[in-house]
Coordinates of all heavy atoms in Angstrom, one line a residue:
M1 N 175.0 -18.5 59.2 CA 174.7 -17.1 58.7 C 173.2 -17.0 58.3 O 172.6 -18.0 57.8 CB 175.5 -16.9 57.4 CG 176.9 -16.4 57.7 SD 176.8 -14.8 58.4 CE 178.5 -14.4 58.4
M2 N 172.7 -15.8 58.5 CA 171.3 -15.5 58.1 C 171.4 -14.5 57.0 O 172.1 -13.5 57.1 CB 170.6 -15.0 59.3 CG 169.2 -14.5 59.0 SD 168.3 -13.9 60.5 CE 169.3 -14.0 61.9
V3 N 170.6 -14.6 56.0 CA 170.5 -13.6 54.9 C 169.2 -12.9 55.0 O 168.1 -13.5 55.0 CB 170.6 -14.3 53.5 CG1 170.5 -13.3 52.4 CG2 172.0 -15.0 53.4
I4 N 169.3 -11.6 55.1 CA 168.1 -10.7 55.2 C 168.1 -9.8 54.0 O 169.1 -9.2 53.6 CB 168.2 -9.8 56.5 CG1 168.2 -10.6 57.8 CG2 167.1 -8.8 56.5 CD1 166.9 -11.2 58.2
T5 N 166.9 -9.8 53.4 CA 166.7 -8.9 52.2 C 166.2 -7.5 52.7 O 165.2 -7.5 53.5 CB 165.8 -9.5 51.2 OG1 166.3 -10.7 50.7 CG2 165.6 -8.5 50.0
V6 N 166.8 -6.5 52.2 CA 166.4 -5.1 52.6 C 165.9 -4.5 51.3 O 166.6 -4.4 50.3 CB 167.5 -4.3 53.2 CG1 167.1 -2.9 53.5 CG2 168.1 -4.9 54.4
K7 N 164.6 -4.0 51.3 CA 164.0 -3.4 50.1 C 164.1 -1.8 50.3 O 163.8 -1.3 51.4 CB 162.6 -3.8 50.0 CG 162.4 -5.3 49.7 CD 161.0 -5.7 49.6 CE 160.9 -7.2 49.4 NZ 159.5 -7.6 49.4
F8 N 164.5 -1.1 49.3 CA 164.5 0.3 49.3 C 163.3 0.8 48.5 O 163.1 0.4 47.3 CB 165.8 0.8 48.6 CG 167.0 0.3 49.4 CD1 167.9 -0.5 48.7 CD2 167.3 0.7 50.7 CE1 169.1 -1.0 49.3 CE2 168.4 0.2 51.3 CZ 169.3 -0.6 50.7
L9 N 162.6 1.7 49.1 CA 161.3 2.2 48.4 C 161.5 3.7 48.1 O 162.3 4.4 48.7 CB 160.1 2.0 49.4 CG 159.9 0.5 49.8 CD1 158.8 0.4 50.8 CD2 159.7 -0.4 48.7
G10 N 160.6 4.2 47.2 CA 160.5 5.6 46.9 C 161.8 6.1 46.3 O 162.6 5.3 45.6
G11 N 162.1 7.3 46.5 CA 163.3 8.0 46.0 C 164.6 7.3 46.6 O 165.7 7.5 46.0
L12 N 164.5 6.6 47.7 CA 165.7 5.9 48.2 C 166.2 4.9 47.3 O 167.4 4.6 47.2 CB 165.4 5.3 49.6 CG 166.5 4.9 50.4 CD1 167.5 6.1 50.6 CD2 166.0 4.4 51.8
R13 N 165.3 4.3 46.5 CA 165.7 3.3 45.5 C 166.7 3.9 44.5 O 167.8 3.3 44.2 CB 164.5 2.8 44.7 CG 164.7 1.6 44.0 CD 163.4 1.1 43.3 NE 162.5 0.7 44.3 CZ 161.2 0.4 44.0 NH1 160.7 0.5 42.8 NH2 160.4 0.0 44.9
Q14 N 166.5 5.1 44.0 CA 167.4 5.8 43.1 C 168.6 6.3 43.9 O 169.7 6.1 43.3 CB 166.7 7.0 42.5 CG 165.7 6.7 41.5 CD 165.0 7.9 40.9 OE1 164.8 8.9 41.6 NE2 164.5 7.8 39.7
E15 N 168.5 6.8 45.1 CA 169.6 7.2 45.8 C 170.6 6.1 46.1 O 171.8 6.3 46.0 CB 169.1 7.8 47.2 CG 170.2 8.5 48.0 CD 169.7 9.1 49.3 OE1 168.6 9.7 49.2 OE2 170.3 8.9 50.3
M16 N 170.1 4.9 46.4 CA 170.9 3.8 46.7 C 171.4 3.1 45.4 O 172.4 2.3 45.4 CB 170.2 2.7 47.6 CG 169.8 3.3 48.9 SD 171.2 3.7 49.9 CE 172.0 2.2 50.3
G17 N 170.7 3.3 44.3 CA 171.1 2.7 43.0 C 170.7 1.3 42.9 O 171.2 0.5 42.1
M18 N 169.7 0.9 43.7 CA 169.2 -0.5 43.7 C 167.9 -0.6 44.4 O 167.6 0.3 45.2 CB 170.2 -1.5 44.3 CG 170.5 -1.1 45.8 SD 171.9 -2.2 46.4 CE 172.9 -0.9 47.2
A19 N 167.1 -1.6 44.0 CA 165.8 -1.8 44.6 C 165.9 -2.5 46.0 O 165.0 -2.4 46.8 CB 164.8 -2.5 43.7
S20 N 166.9 -3.3 46.1 CA 167.1 -4.1 47.3 C 168.6 -4.6 47.4 O 169.3 -4.5 46.5 CB 166.2 -5.3 47.3 OG 166.5 -6.2 46.3
T21 N 168.9 -5.0 48.6 CA 170.2 -5.6 48.8 C 170.0 -6.7 49.9 O 169.0 -6.8 50.5 CB 171.2 -4.6 49.3 OG1 172.5 -5.2 49.3 CG2 170.9 -4.1 50.7
T22 N 171.0 -7.6 50.0 CA 170.9 -8.6 51.0 C 172.1 -8.4 52.0 O 173.1 -7.9 51.6 CB 171.1 -10.0 50.4 OG1 172.3 -10.1 49.6 CG2 169.9 -10.4 49.6
L23 N 171.8 -8.7 53.2 CA 172.7 -8.5 54.3 C 173.0 -9.9 54.9 O 172.0 -10.7 55.1 CB 172.2 -7.6 55.4 CG 171.9 -6.2 55.1 CD1 171.3 -5.5 56.3 CD2 173.1 -5.5 54.6
C24 N 174.2 -10.3 55.1 CA 174.6 -11.5 55.8 C 174.9 -11.2 57.2 O 175.8 -10.5 57.5 CB 175.8 -12.2 55.1 SG 175.5 -12.7 53.4
L25 N 174.1 -11.8 58.1 CA 174.2 -11.5 59.5 C 174.4 -12.9 60.2 O 174.0 -13.9 59.7 CB 173.0 -10.8 60.0 CG 172.6 -9.5 59.4 CD1 171.2 -9.0 59.8 CD2 173.6 -8.4 59.9
P26 N 175.0 -12.8 61.4 CA 175.1 -14.1 62.2 C 173.7 -14.6 62.5 O 172.8 -13.9 62.6 CB 175.9 -13.6 63.4 CG 176.2 -12.2 63.3 CD 175.6 -11.7 62.1
D27 N 173.7 -15.9 62.8 CA 172.4 -16.5 63.1 C 171.7 -15.9 64.3 O 170.5 -15.9 64.4 CB 172.6 -18.0 63.4 CG 172.9 -18.8 62.1 OD1 172.4 -18.3 61.0 OD2 173.5 -19.8 62.1
N28 N 172.4 -15.4 65.2 CA 171.9 -14.8 66.4 C 171.7 -13.2 66.3 O 171.7 -12.6 67.4 CB 172.7 -15.2 67.7 CG 174.1 -14.7 67.6 OD1 174.6 -14.2 66.5 ND2 174.9 -14.8 68.6
A29 N 171.7 -12.7 65.1 CA 171.6 -11.3 64.9 C 170.3 -10.7 65.5 O 169.3 -11.3 65.6 CB 171.7 -10.9 63.4
T30 N 170.5 -9.4 66.0 CA 169.4 -8.7 66.6 C 169.0 -7.5 65.8 O 169.7 -7.1 64.8 CB 169.8 -8.3 68.0 OG1 170.9 -7.3 67.9 CG2 170.2 -9.4 68.9
V31 N 168.0 -6.8 66.2 CA 167.6 -5.5 65.6 C 168.7 -4.5 65.7 O 168.9 -3.8 64.7 CB 166.3 -5.0 66.3 CG1 166.0 -3.5 65.9 CG2 165.1 -5.9 66.0
A32 N 169.4 -4.5 66.8 CA 170.6 -3.6 66.9 C 171.7 -3.9 65.8 O 172.2 -3.0 65.2 CB 171.2 -3.6 68.3
D33 N 171.9 -5.2 65.6 CA 172.8 -5.6 64.5 C 172.4 -5.1 63.2 O 173.2 -4.6 62.3 CB 173.0 -7.1 64.5 CG 173.6 -7.6 65.8 OD1 174.5 -7.0 66.4 OD2 173.2 -8.7 66.2
L34 N 171.1 -5.2 62.9 CA 170.5 -4.8 61.6 C 170.7 -3.3 61.5 O 171.1 -2.8 60.4 CB 169.0 -5.1 61.6 CG 168.3 -4.6 60.4 CD1 168.8 -5.1 59.1 CD2 166.8 -4.9 60.5
E35 N 170.4 -2.5 62.5 CA 170.6 -1.1 62.5 C 172.0 -0.7 62.1 O 172.3 0.2 61.3 CB 170.1 -0.4 63.8 CG 170.2 1.1 63.7 CD 169.6 1.8 64.9 OE1 169.1 1.1 65.8 OE2 169.7 3.0 65.0
R36 N 173.0 -1.4 62.8 CA 174.4 -1.1 62.5 C 174.7 -1.4 61.0 O 175.4 -0.6 60.4 CB 175.3 -1.9 63.4 CG 175.5 -1.3 64.8 CD 176.6 -2.0 65.5 NE 176.2 -3.4 65.9 CZ 175.5 -3.7 67.0 NH1 175.0 -2.7 67.8 NH2 175.2 -4.9 67.3
Q37 N 174.2 -2.5 60.5 CA 174.5 -2.8 59.1 C 173.8 -1.8 58.1 O 174.4 -1.4 57.1 CB 173.9 -4.2 58.8 CG 174.8 -5.3 59.4 CD 176.2 -5.4 58.8 OE1 176.3 -5.3 57.6 NE2 177.2 -5.5 59.6
L38 N 172.6 -1.3 58.5 CA 172.0 -0.3 57.6 C 172.7 1.0 57.6 O 172.9 1.6 56.6 CB 170.5 -0.1 58.1 CG 169.6 -1.3 57.9 CD1 168.2 -1.0 58.5 CD2 169.4 -1.7 56.4
R39 N 173.2 1.4 58.8 CA 174.0 2.6 58.9 C 175.3 2.4 58.1 O 175.8 3.3 57.5 CB 174.3 3.0 60.3 CG 173.0 3.5 61.0 CD 173.3 3.9 62.4 NE 172.1 4.2 63.1 CZ 171.4 5.4 63.0 NH1 171.8 6.3 62.2 NH2 170.3 5.5 63.7
A40 N 175.9 1.2 58.1 CA 177.2 0.9 57.4 C 177.0 1.1 55.9 O 177.9 1.3 55.2 CB 177.7 -0.5 57.8
L41 N 175.7 0.9 55.4 CA 175.4 1.1 54.0 C 175.3 2.6 53.7 O 175.2 2.9 52.5 CB 174.1 0.4 53.7 CG 174.0 -1.1 53.6 CD1 172.6 -1.6 53.4 CD2 174.9 -1.6 52.6
G42 N 175.4 3.4 54.7 CA 175.4 4.9 54.4 C 174.0 5.4 54.6 O 173.7 6.6 54.3
L43 N 173.1 4.6 55.2 CA 171.7 5.1 55.4 C 171.6 6.0 56.6 O 172.1 5.6 57.7 CB 170.7 3.9 55.5 CG 170.5 3.2 54.2 CD1 169.8 1.8 54.6 CD2 169.6 4.0 53.3
D44 N 171.0 7.1 56.5 CA 170.7 8.0 57.6 C 169.3 7.6 58.2 O 168.3 7.7 57.5 CB 170.6 9.5 57.1 CG 170.3 10.5 58.2 OD1 170.0 10.0 59.4 OD2 170.4 11.7 58.0
L45 N 169.3 7.0 59.3 CA 168.1 6.4 59.9 C 167.4 7.4 60.8 O 166.5 7.0 61.6 CB 168.4 5.1 60.6 CG 168.9 4.0 59.7 CD1 169.2 2.7 60.4 CD2 167.9 3.7 58.5
D46 N 167.8 8.7 60.8 CA 167.0 9.7 61.5 C 165.6 9.7 60.9 O 165.5 9.8 59.7 CB 167.7 11.1 61.3 CG 167.0 12.2 62.0 OD1 165.9 12.0 62.5 OD2 167.6 13.3 62.1
A47 N 164.6 9.6 61.8 CA 163.2 9.5 61.3 C 162.8 10.7 60.4 O 161.9 10.6 59.6 CB 162.3 9.4 62.4
R48 N 163.5 11.8 60.5 CA 163.2 12.9 59.6 C 163.8 12.7 58.2 O 163.3 13.3 57.3 CB 163.8 14.2 60.2 CG 163.0 14.7 61.4 CD 163.6 16.0 62.0 NE 164.4 15.5 63.1 CZ 165.6 16.0 63.4 NH1 166.1 17.0 62.7 NH2 166.3 15.5 64.4
K49 N 164.7 11.8 58.1 CA 165.3 11.5 56.8 C 164.8 10.2 56.2 O 164.2 10.2 55.1 CB 166.8 11.4 56.9 CG 167.6 11.1 55.7 CD 167.7 12.2 54.7 CE 168.6 11.7 53.6 NZ 168.5 12.5 52.4
N50 N 165.0 9.1 56.8 CA 164.6 7.8 56.4 C 163.9 7.0 57.5 O 164.2 7.2 58.6 CB 165.8 7.0 55.8 CG 166.4 7.6 54.6 OD1 165.8 7.9 53.6 ND2 167.7 7.8 54.7
I51 N 163.0 6.1 57.1 CA 162.3 5.3 58.0 C 162.6 3.8 57.7 O 162.5 3.4 56.5 CB 160.8 5.5 58.0 CG1 160.5 7.0 58.4 CG2 160.1 4.5 58.9 CD1 159.1 7.4 58.2
A52 N 163.1 3.0 58.7 CA 163.3 1.6 58.5 C 162.3 0.8 59.2 O 162.0 1.2 60.4 CB 164.7 1.3 59.0
V53 N 161.7 -0.2 58.6 CA 160.7 -1.0 59.3 C 161.1 -2.5 59.1 O 161.7 -2.9 58.2 CB 159.3 -0.7 58.7 CG1 158.8 0.7 58.9 CG2 159.2 -1.1 57.2
V54 N 160.7 -3.2 60.2 CA 160.8 -4.7 60.2 C 159.4 -5.2 60.4 O 158.8 -4.8 61.4 CB 161.8 -5.1 61.3 CG1 161.8 -6.6 61.3 CG2 163.2 -4.5 61.1
N55 N 158.9 -6.0 59.5 CA 157.6 -6.5 59.6 C 156.5 -5.5 59.9 O 155.7 -5.6 60.7 CB 157.5 -7.6 60.6 CG 158.5 -8.8 60.3 OD1 158.8 -9.0 59.2 ND2 158.9 -9.4 61.3
Q56 N 156.6 -4.4 59.2 CA 155.7 -3.3 59.2 C 155.7 -2.5 60.5 O 154.7 -1.7 60.8 CB 154.3 -3.7 58.8 CG 154.2 -4.4 57.5 CD 152.8 -4.8 57.1 OE1 151.9 -4.7 57.9 NE2 152.7 -5.3 55.9
R57 N 156.7 -2.6 61.3 CA 156.9 -1.8 62.5 C 158.2 -1.1 62.4 O 159.2 -1.7 62.0 CB 156.8 -2.7 63.8 CG 155.5 -3.2 64.1 CD 155.5 -4.1 65.3 NE 156.0 -3.4 66.5 CZ 156.3 -4.0 67.7 NH1 156.1 -5.3 67.8 NH2 156.7 -3.4 68.7
G58 N 158.2 0.2 62.8 CA 159.4 0.9 62.8 C 160.5 0.3 63.6 O 160.2 -0.4 64.6
L59 N 161.7 0.4 63.1 CA 162.9 -0.2 63.7 C 162.9 0.2 65.2 O 163.2 -0.7 66.1 CB 164.1 0.3 63.0 CG 165.4 -0.5 63.2 CD1 165.2 -1.9 62.6 CD2 166.5 0.1 62.4
S60 N 162.6 1.4 65.5 CA 162.7 1.9 66.9 C 161.6 1.3 67.8 O 161.7 1.4 69.0 CB 162.7 3.4 67.0 OG 161.5 3.9 66.5
Q61 N 160.6 0.7 67.2 CA 159.5 0.1 68.0 C 159.9 -1.3 68.5 O 159.1 -1.9 69.3 CB 158.2 0.0 67.2 CG 157.7 1.4 66.8 CD 156.5 1.3 66.0 OE1 156.5 0.6 65.0 NE2 155.4 2.0 66.3
W62 N 160.9 -1.9 68.0 CA 161.4 -3.2 68.4 C 162.5 -3.0 69.5 O 163.3 -2.1 69.4 CB 162.0 -3.9 67.2 CG 161.1 -4.3 66.2 CD1 161.0 -3.7 64.9 CD2 160.1 -5.4 66.2 NE1 160.0 -4.3 64.2 CE2 159.5 -5.4 64.9 CE3 159.8 -6.3 67.1 CZ2 158.5 -6.3 64.6 CZ3 158.8 -7.3 66.8 CH2 158.1 -7.2 65.5
P63 N 162.5 -3.9 70.5 CA 163.6 -3.9 71.4 C 164.9 -4.2 70.6 O 164.9 -5.0 69.7 CB 163.3 -5.0 72.4 CG 161.9 -5.5 72.1 CD 161.5 -5.0 70.8
P64 N 166.0 -3.5 71.0 CA 167.3 -3.7 70.3 C 167.8 -5.1 70.3 O 168.5 -5.6 69.4 CB 168.2 -2.7 71.0 CG 167.4 -1.8 71.7 CD 166.1 -2.4 72.0
D65 N 167.4 -5.8 71.4 CA 167.9 -7.2 71.5 C 166.9 -8.3 70.9 O 167.2 -9.5 71.0 CB 168.2 -7.5 73.0 CG 166.9 -7.4 73.8 OD1 165.9 -6.9 73.4 OD2 167.0 -7.9 75.0
R66 N 165.9 -7.8 70.2 CA 165.0 -8.7 69.5 C 165.7 -9.5 68.4 O 166.3 -8.9 67.6 CB 163.8 -8.0 68.9 CG 162.8 -9.0 68.3 CD 162.4 -8.4 66.9 NE 161.4 -9.3 66.3 CZ 161.5 -9.7 65.0 NH1 162.5 -9.4 64.3 NH2 160.5 -10.4 64.5
P67 N 165.7 -10.8 68.5 CA 166.4 -11.6 67.5 C 165.7 -11.4 66.1 O 164.4 -11.3 66.0 CB 166.2 -13.1 67.9 CG 165.8 -13.0 69.4 CD 165.1 -11.7 69.6
L68 N 166.5 -11.4 65.0 CA 165.9 -11.4 63.7 C 165.7 -12.8 63.2 O 166.3 -13.8 63.7 CB 166.9 -10.7 62.7 CG 167.2 -9.2 63.0 CD1 168.3 -8.8 62.1 CD2 165.9 -8.4 62.8
A69 N 164.8 -12.9 62.3 CA 164.5 -14.2 61.6 C 164.7 -14.1 60.1 O 164.5 -13.0 59.6 CB 163.1 -14.7 61.9
P70 N 165.1 -15.1 59.4 CA 165.4 -15.0 58.0 C 164.2 -14.5 57.2 O 164.3 -13.9 56.1 CB 165.8 -16.4 57.5 CG 166.2 -17.1 58.8 CD 165.4 -16.4 59.9
D71 N 163.0 -14.7 57.7 CA 161.8 -14.3 56.9 C 161.3 -12.9 57.3 O 160.2 -12.5 56.8 CB 160.7 -15.4 57.1 CG 160.2 -15.6 58.5 OD1 160.9 -15.1 59.4 OD2 159.1 -16.1 58.7
D72 N 162.0 -12.2 58.2 CA 161.6 -10.8 58.5 C 161.7 -10.0 57.2 O 162.6 -10.1 56.4 CB 162.6 -10.2 59.5 CG 162.3 -10.7 60.9 OD1 161.2 -11.2 61.2 OD2 163.2 -10.6 61.8
V73 N 160.7 -9.1 57.1 CA 160.6 -8.2 55.9 C 161.2 -6.9 56.4 O 160.6 -6.2 57.3 CB 159.2 -8.1 55.4 CG1 159.1 -7.1 54.3 CG2 158.6 -9.4 55.0
V74 N 162.3 -6.4 55.7 CA 162.9 -5.1 56.1 C 162.8 -4.2 54.9 O 163.1 -4.6 53.8 CB 164.4 -5.3 56.4 CG1 165.1 -4.0 56.8 CG2 164.5 -6.4 57.6
M75 N 162.2 -3.0 55.2 CA 162.1 -2.0 54.1 C 162.6 -0.7 54.7 O 162.5 -0.4 55.9 CB 160.6 -1.8 53.7 CG 160.1 -3.1 53.0 SD 158.4 -2.8 52.5 CE 157.5 -3.0 54.1
V76 N 163.2 0.1 53.8 CA 163.7 1.5 54.2 C 163.1 2.4 53.1 O 163.2 2.1 51.9 CB 165.2 1.6 54.2 CG1 165.6 2.9 54.7 CG2 165.8 0.5 55.1
F77 N 162.6 3.5 53.6 CA 162.0 4.5 52.6 C 162.2 5.9 53.2 O 162.4 6.1 54.4 CB 160.5 4.2 52.4 CG 159.7 4.1 53.6 CD1 159.0 5.2 54.1 CD2 159.5 2.9 54.2 CE1 158.2 5.0 55.2 CE2 158.7 2.7 55.3 CZ 158.1 3.8 55.8
P78 N 162.2 6.9 52.3 CA 162.4 8.3 52.8 C 161.1 8.8 53.5 O 160.0 8.4 53.1 CB 162.7 9.1 51.5 CG 162.2 8.2 50.4 CD 162.2 6.8 50.9
N79 N 161.3 9.6 54.5 CA 160.2 10.2 55.2 C 159.7 11.3 54.3 O 160.4 12.1 53.8 CB 160.7 10.8 56.5 CG 159.5 11.3 57.3 OD1 158.4 11.2 56.9 ND2 159.8 11.9 58.4
I80 N 158.4 11.2 54.1 CA 157.7 12.2 53.2 C 156.9 13.1 54.2 O 155.9 12.6 54.8 CB 156.8 11.6 52.2 CG1 157.7 10.7 51.3 CG2 156.1 12.7 51.4 CD1 156.9 9.9 50.3
S81 N 157.3 14.3 54.3 CA 156.5 15.2 55.2 C 155.7 16.1 54.4 O 156.1 16.5 53.3 CB 157.4 16.0 56.2 OG 158.3 16.7 55.4
G82 N 154.6 16.5 54.8 CA 153.7 17.3 54.1 C 153.0 18.3 55.0 O 153.4 18.5 56.2
G83 N 152.0 19.0 54.5 CA 151.3 19.9 55.4 C 151.8 21.3 55.1 O 152.5 21.6 54.1
S84 N 151.3 22.2 55.9 CA 151.6 23.7 55.7 C 152.8 24.1 56.4 O 153.3 23.5 57.3 CB 150.4 24.5 56.0 OG 149.9 24.2 57.3

């Protein structure tokens, strides 16, 4: 088993009721497995709502079959749109 820590940033911290959580994934878990687990937590990963990143790259920028490593840094934060 691999344990991945997911940090919640901004207003998502309040929405989730915690600053972070840990996910237990199989040793051969992939980015696609991580995405499924994040959605199972109730996270809307539509880029207009929330953004999930792994090692400072958007989740969608990684191939779905990319293996995860225990030291991967996973953060989820609300998309903040601005402008006129």
Side-chain angles (χ1 to χ4, degrees):
M1 274 296 184
M2 175 181 1
V3 177
I4 297 281
T5 299
V6 179
K7 297 177 185 177
F8 302 115
L9 306 177
L12 193 54
R13 196 179 290 173
Q14 288 178 329
E15 186 178 319
M16 296 299 291
M18 60 187 130
S20 65
T21 192
T22 55
L23 299 176
C24 294
L25 300 166
D27 288 331
N28 60 350
T30 64
V31 168
D33 297 321
L34 173 63
E35 183 175 355
R36 277 191 292 279
Q37 288 293 316
L38 292 173
R39 290 184 188 281
L41 289 174
L43 290 165
D44 180 350
L45 298 179
D46 178 349
R48 286 177 266 141
K49 175 74 175 165
N50 295 306
I51 298 170
V53 297
V54 176
N55 301 334
Q56 300 180 359
R57 286 180 59 189
L59 200 61
S60 63
Q61 293 177 313
W62 293 103
D65 61 348
R66 181 227 183 227
L68 295 174
D71 61 344
D72 282 342
V73 177
V74 180
M75 295 181 284
V76 185
F77 52 92
N79 185 5
I80 302 171
S81 58
S84 52

